[in-house]
Amino acid sequence: MDEELVIDKLILEVKDYANGRAKDVARGAESPRLAALLLQKYGLGVISAVSLIFDSPRAADPILEVLDQETAKIDARWREHDRERWSWRPADLTSLNPEGL
């Protein structure tokens, strides 16, 4: 399987996973903050594997772009929330705002 085909298939996988997270947010099972974190962790795993398989950190750039776009659809403030999470000691999913907004 060539690199472009693999990247295209994995982009679809990331979008499908993002769709599942968005559905969980819509039905109230997950907060946008949690769903965005789960999506980022999933997507970064995919990206890491692609970079390793194709021996190039740039090979997965199209996946990273889609990952960030899909994450922003779920939680527009995901980058801010990620920085907050890492600023807490120890890093955690809780915050001073129990609604996760």
Side-chain angles (χ1 to χ4, degrees), residues 41-95:
K41 293 297 185 182
Y42 175 84
L44 292 175
V46 170
I47 288 166
S48 178
V50 166
S51 297
L52 180 67
I53 290 166
F54 291 112
D55 196 28
S56 167
R58 304 277 44 115
D61 282 355
I63 300 170
L64 180 60
E65 184 177 333
V66 169
L67 174 62
D68 288 351
Q69 291 169 356
E70 294 297 316
T71 304
K73 289 178 188 176
I74 293 171
D75 179 9
R77 296 174 47 209
W78 74 270
R79 290 181 195 271
E80 176 187 341
H81 291 152
D82 194 53
R83 282 189 300 275
E84 286 174 353
R85 183 172 64 87
W86 284 107
S87 71
W88 301 322
R89 292 294 177 248
D92 202 346
L93 295 176
T94 61
S95 74

